[in-house]
Amino acid sequence: MTFQRFVATLLEVERASSRIAMVKMLAEAFRELPPEEVPLAVLLLQGRVAPEFEGLEFGVAEKEAAKALALALGRDEAEIVQAVKEKGDIGAYALEALPRSAGGLTLRHVYDELRAIAEDAGPGSQARKRERLARLVAGASPEEAAVILRTVTGRLRLGVGDATVLEALALAYLGDRGKKPLLERAYNLTSDLAYVARLVLEGEAALRAVKLEVGKPVRMMLAERLPGPEQIMEKLGPHFAEHKYDGERVQVHFDGDRFWVYSRRLENITHQYPDLLEALREVQQRPFILEAEAVVTDPLTGEMRPFQNVLNRKVKHLTPELLEKYPIKGFVFELLYADGEVLIERPYRERRERLERWFSPHERLELSTKRFVKTTEELVRFFDASIEAGCEGLVCKKPDGDYEAGKRGFKWVKYKRGIAGKLSDTLDLVIVGAWLGRGRRAGTYGSLLAAAYDPDEDRFVTLTKVGSGFSDEDLNEVLPRRLDPYRREERHPRVWSLLEPDVWFEPVQVIEVEAQEITLSPNHTCAFGAVQEGRGLALRFPRFVRYRDDKSPEEATTTREVVEMYKNQWAG
Ligand code: ATP
């Protein structure tokens, strides 16, 4: 396929009137591709050359890309760098600056060159990357160049989510959108869209046979909410409750030699946990995949410290001082693979027994505290004990529940402390727009427009304006730094909103928000018409709690969850 055709598809898809139309367009484009190019197209659609968990980044800042563009144009470097800066989008600038030409690159060539740019590292790599990029851009049409330049600078964010790509692949190669769950399963086990694309070309049998692999992150199983202990007891019956630790969830893979640590959003964060891995290496020599909550402890007392402390380890170079100041303890709660056996389809009870037999304690490792509870009283008592121990509450687990990769279901239910006059749980929302501040807030963002995720439509639907809870530092520095790169003139195609904020953003940044109540609203699109005709749901008295960089936009609170929270808010 020519790259021009690929670029044309991107434009069509951006303008699609509905998700079904988007799926059909994509499926058509996939069908035109020779099979070996399908995985490449899937990656390029995501603006990548390898799955995110491999951590292969382009390492090309906008300034470097502008220099490459200057080289391609044969123009003065400083002049182009300045012009790109003023325009604010290198793609848009390239569209104007490059001479009309036919381009004629192939998809394969563009992929290979972009991959070479990403893989080039070490001394002199910056200059080599720049020259390679310049050659590529020089042979491209303005539209092709715009996509290439936005891709390498990480600015290509299309209106296509993973769910839409999977559905299009199902339609293109299995002839039926309804077969998406088969692809979803493979994706949940491997987190690798390009790999799923390869499998779908082999047919249904290959998809059904897919298993998790050490080294590839398994999409994490998530917990549902219920209003209170009675409802949890009613739903699960006698079950195992575990302390809910307030740290960072980590999935650790070990192949007998090498370790990988994946975050909640499946980023490779191996370098953040050398001490935890050292401990695991001391106690386990055979391959495994486990999940744990990594909690920072007080170096003097050994007591658990709140989540925010983990953020101190999120630096490029962890020093021995930082490791000493923020020591980690891993509370292991899942074993997905061990002794050559995949365990995720086994019931919780069995997985836990295996975990307990397999586990060896260590100064830095502990099993999550659990108890079998038969009555509401026992559950409440264990909950109180968990709070006393410094935890956030409990995660209640169904004894016969398997590990459902990538799903949020009632096999796990979280039980957190409800605060009087507030919703018992916070929401994780995506910022999609903002209003400019007035008065004391002039020159900053006054309030943000925040949205939930609607997985059925693969889009973001607004739920609230949020303006309180931000510190002056948030308003003056943090929010502009985080949001400005994603500003756009028009609404993003994946956002559905009835309100018109002053500025729009690409749906990227996730924040945690607490609120007093969920109400019906004619102004917001979240669950529009689901509870009452012509009305969506909105938050009352919302308040910013913190940034949730550990969540991708698609991991934000879903419309279904908001509806559940709306219905359950007065119960319990
Ligand atoms: P979610 O992970 O459900 O999307 P979240 O990140 O806001 O949302 P919570 O909803 O508060 O987290 O609770 C679920 C999280 O609790 C898990 O993802 C995990 O990180 C953490 N956790 C702590 N202890 C346990 C445990 N014993 N078993 C399972 N999860 C636990």
Side-chain angles (χ1 to χ4, degrees):
M1 174 182 267
T2 64
F3 193 58
Q4 192 72 36
R5 170 75 178 97
F6 177 78
V7 170
T9 308
L10 294 187
L11 291 175
E12 265 177 45
V13 165
E14 277 253 329
R15 291 197 207 104
S17 55
S18 70
R19 207 173 76 89
I20 304 285
M22 210 185 244
V23 168
K24 284 192 182 144
M25 280 172 197
L26 274 179
E28 224 166 86
F30 283 145
R31 252 182 264 133
E32 280 177 36
L33 285 166
E36 64 282 5
E37 286 183 15
V38 178
L40 312 186
V42 164
L43 285 166
L44 290 176
L45 270 173
Q46 299 175 295
R48 313 195 60 88
V49 285
E52 190 173 355
F53 64 81
E54 283 185 19
L56 184 63
E57 304 297 337
F58 292 107
V60 179
E62 186 168 80
K63 194 166 170 193
E64 280 302 308
K67 287 184 190 168
L69 182 57
L71 208 58
L73 289 164
R75 303 250 302 267
D76 179 58
E77 213 173 64
E79 180 203 332
I80 303 293
V81 168
Q82 185 55 30
V84 165
K85 203 169 159 200
E86 274 165 26
K87 189 87 193 164
D89 169 10
I90 192 164
Y93 181 76
L95 277 175
E96 286 168 14
L98 279 165
R100 292 266 121 223
S101 72
L105 301 171
T106 63
L107 181 90
R108 156 73 64 184
H109 177 69
V110 174
Y111 175 85
D112 287 345
E113 288 302 294
L114 289 179
R115 176 124 198 159
I117 289 171
E119 282 175 346
D120 199 345
S125 61
Q126 224 180 38
R128 286 193 303 272
K129 281 175 196 266
R130 197 189 316 140
E131 279 156 25
R132 197 181 275 272
L133 183 57
R135 278 198 302 275
L136 190 58
V137 168
S141 70
E143 292 77 19
E144 291 174 332
V147 170
I148 290 167
L149 290 164
R150 283 186 184 136
T151 300
V152 292
T153 51
R155 293 296 303 269
L156 184 83
R157 254 176 223 89
L158 297 165
V160 195
D162 294 353
T164 303
V165 173
L166 289 174
E167 202 166 321
L169 286 169
L171 180 62
Y173 299 108
L174 305 179
D176 182 359
R177 287 197 298 130
K179 294 216 165 134
K180 182 175 145 209
L182 259 182
L183 283 80
E184 239 164 19
R185 180 183 160 273
Y187 181 51
N188 285 336
L189 292 176
T190 60
S191 311
D192 186 343
L193 269 187
Y195 179 65
V196 176
R198 233 168 278 139
L199 290 174
V200 82
L201 289 159
E202 287 175 34
E204 281 189 42
L207 277 174
R208 283 184 209 281
V210 71
K211 287 209 165 65
L212 51 74
E213 283 172 38
V214 175
K216 283 191 176 186
V218 179
R219 286 169 47 91
M220 295 186 191
M221 174 170 180
L222 304 171
E224 267 290 357
R225 302 177 181 80
L226 281 170
E230 292 84 14
Q231 289 84 350
I232 296 177
M233 226 44 229
E234 204 174 297
K235 187 91 188 173
L236 299 184
H239 65 269
F240 291 94
E242 290 188 16
H243 280 189
K244 184 174 190 301
Y245 300 90
D246 187 19
E248 177 170 38
R249 183 165 179 178
V250 290
Q251 192 177 83
V252 185
H253 293 231
F254 180 55
D255 70 359
D257 175 38
R258 185 177 161 194
F259 280 104
W260 294 261
V261 182
Y262 293 113
S263 70
R264 176 76 175 61
R265 62 183 294 182
L266 313 183
E267 284 160 329
N268 188 328
I269 49 165
T270 312
H271 63 282
Q272 271 171 38
Y273 291 106
D275 39 359
L276 185 67
L277 300 185
E278 206 179 281
L280 281 165
R281 198 184 281 279
E282 277 173 33
V283 296
Q284 280 299 333
Q285 281 77 42
R286 299 192 56 198
F288 63 80
I289 303 176
L290 64 74
E291 279 186 13
E293 194 78 1
V295 181
V296 166
T297 56
D298 188 302
L300 299 176
T301 64
E303 272 174 20
M304 289 188 283
R305 285 185 172 175
F307 168 78
Q308 281 73 3
N309 285 276
V310 181
L311 300 177
N312 295 308
R313 295 171 69 111
K314 295 205 175 287
V315 290
K316 214 162 186 182
H317 302 290
L318 258 181
T319 57
E321 291 75 40
L322 280 174
L323 290 174
E324 208 169 300
K325 199 163 166 210
Y326 302 106
I328 214 82
K329 188 158 192 176
F331 291 89
V332 184
F333 59 80
E334 268 295 346
L335 190 59
L336 308 185
Y337 173 85
D339 302 318
E341 262 182 86
V342 174
L343 302 172
I344 58 170
E345 276 153 23
R346 304 285 175 78
Y348 167 83
R349 185 194 292 275
E350 210 183 307
R351 286 202 310 282
R352 178 75 195 198
E353 276 169 16
R354 281 290 286 267
L355 172 60
E356 286 173 12
R357 266 186 279 133
W358 174 89
F359 186 78
S360 327
H362 182 281
E363 210 193 322
R364 293 187 181 282
L365 295 168
E366 215 174 280
L367 282 180
S368 58
T369 302
K370 74 147 205 305
R371 181 167 301 167
F372 189 67
V373 290
K374 294 186 289 302
T375 63
T376 308
E377 292 69 50
E378 283 177 13
L379 178 59
V380 172
R381 237 181 294 135
F382 191 47
F383 173 80
D384 292 341
S386 80
I387 299 289
E388 203 152 302
C391 292
E392 271 190 306
L394 301 173
V395 182
C396 300
K397 303 185 176 179
K398 211 170 155 86
D400 61 357
D402 55 346
Y403 183 98
E404 283 193 303
K407 299 244 168 74
R408 189 186 296 281
F410 284 100
K411 290 173 184 172
W412 284 9
V413 179
K414 52 195 172 192
Y415 176 8
K416 293 202 222 177
R417 186 163 27 184
I419 302 159
K422 275 192 192 159
L423 287 175
S424 61
D425 202 1
T426 54
L427 297 96
D428 299 316
L429 304 176
V430 186
I431 302 173
V432 297
W435 283 269
L436 302 175
R438 298 199 184 85
R440 210 172 73 80
R441 289 199 179 173
T444 64
Y445 295 121
S447 58
L448 306 176
L449 180 60
Y453 177 57
D454 175 355
D456 296 330
E457 294 295 324
D458 192 18
R459 67 181 173 186
F460 300 92
V461 283
T462 75
L463 180 68
T464 192
K465 267 189 188 187
V466 50
S468 66
F470 296 106
S471 66
D472 284 349
E473 192 194 349
D474 283 320
L475 292 169
N476 297 326
E477 290 166 39
V478 186
L479 283 173
R481 191 181 69 232
R482 283 172 171 265
L483 295 174
D484 288 356
Y486 303 110
R487 252 172 107 141
R488 38 188 294 146
E489 317 240 308
E490 287 162 26
R491 190 175 46 77
H492 191 277
R494 284 175 81 197
V495 172
W496 181 30
S497 174
L498 301 172
L499 297 170
E500 271 287 326
D502 295 329
V503 292
W504 293 101
F505 300 113
E506 286 173 40
V508 175
Q509 176 71 58
V510 181
I511 55 170
E512 187 171 336
V513 175
E514 61 176 26
Q516 206 173 63
E517 205 186 340
I518 300 175
T519 55
L520 288 163
S521 159
N523 298 322
H524 286 285
T525 52
C526 179
F528 202 79
V531 179
Q532 198 183 99
E533 189 117 349
R535 284 189 153 62
L537 295 175
L539 297 186
R540 212 161 94 87
F541 299 127
R543 201 180 155 80
F544 166 79
V545 180
R546 60 177 158 132
Y547 303 99
R548 289 297 306 253
D549 297 331
D550 58 326
K551 286 204 166 182
S552 68
E554 285 84 2
E555 285 174 321
T557 304
T558 62
T559 40
R560 193 178 53 80
E561 288 177 77
V562 181
V563 172
E564 288 294 319
M565 288 174 85
Y566 171 77
K567 288 187 187 153
N568 286 333
Q569 60 190 336
W570 301 287

